[in-house]
Amino acid sequence: MAYDEILKTLESWDAKSLISLAQEDEEILITLIRMLDEERFQLRVLALLEELLPPLRTNREIYKELFPRLLLLLTRNRKTAVKAARVMKVLLLQEPPPQREICGPF
């Protein structure tokens, strides 16, 4: 799904479609996370992420994309900060992604 299609679906607030698409395609999830940089979509994307993250096993790429953005959003207005904190809670309560062995087994 192209960025423009995701944008249109987000603007029309078809949350069910976005959730099912993001569950099937990690690239859509990453695109949604990157949309947190745009203030006009922050609350909608945070609401989607709160629904999306519990059933997903989040991988390192998702953590790398999402965690810094959530930290920044915690400093925004109260409504955005509360939503970001709720998503962060969901993220932190998940089992962490496995670390790759860099040096091999000891």
Side-chain angles (χ1 to χ4, degrees), residues 19-85:
I19 288 172
S20 65
L21 290 169
Q23 287 172 333
E24 295 171 13
D25 186 350
E26 189 174 288
E27 285 302 313
I28 293 174
L29 178 59
I30 290 174
T31 300
L32 286 171
I33 290 169
R34 290 179 179 156
M35 287 179 149
L36 286 172
D37 297 339
E38 298 179 43
E39 192 172 329
R40 66 185 175 142
F41 298 122
Q42 289 171 346
L43 291 175
R44 288 183 181 193
V45 171
L46 288 168
L48 289 170
L49 290 173
E50 193 173 0
E51 292 294 317
L52 269 169
L53 292 178
L56 294 178
R57 178 154 188 223
T58 309
N59 65 33
R60 286 198 157 319
E61 184 66 26
I62 302 298
Y63 270 95
K64 284 172 39 180
E65 290 287 334
L66 184 54
F67 204 78
R69 286 175 171 89
L70 290 175
L71 288 174
L72 277 174
L73 292 176
L74 289 173
T75 64
R76 303 286 187 223
N77 65 58
R78 180 178 166 85
K79 194 171 187 176
T80 303
V82 168
K83 281 274 194 200

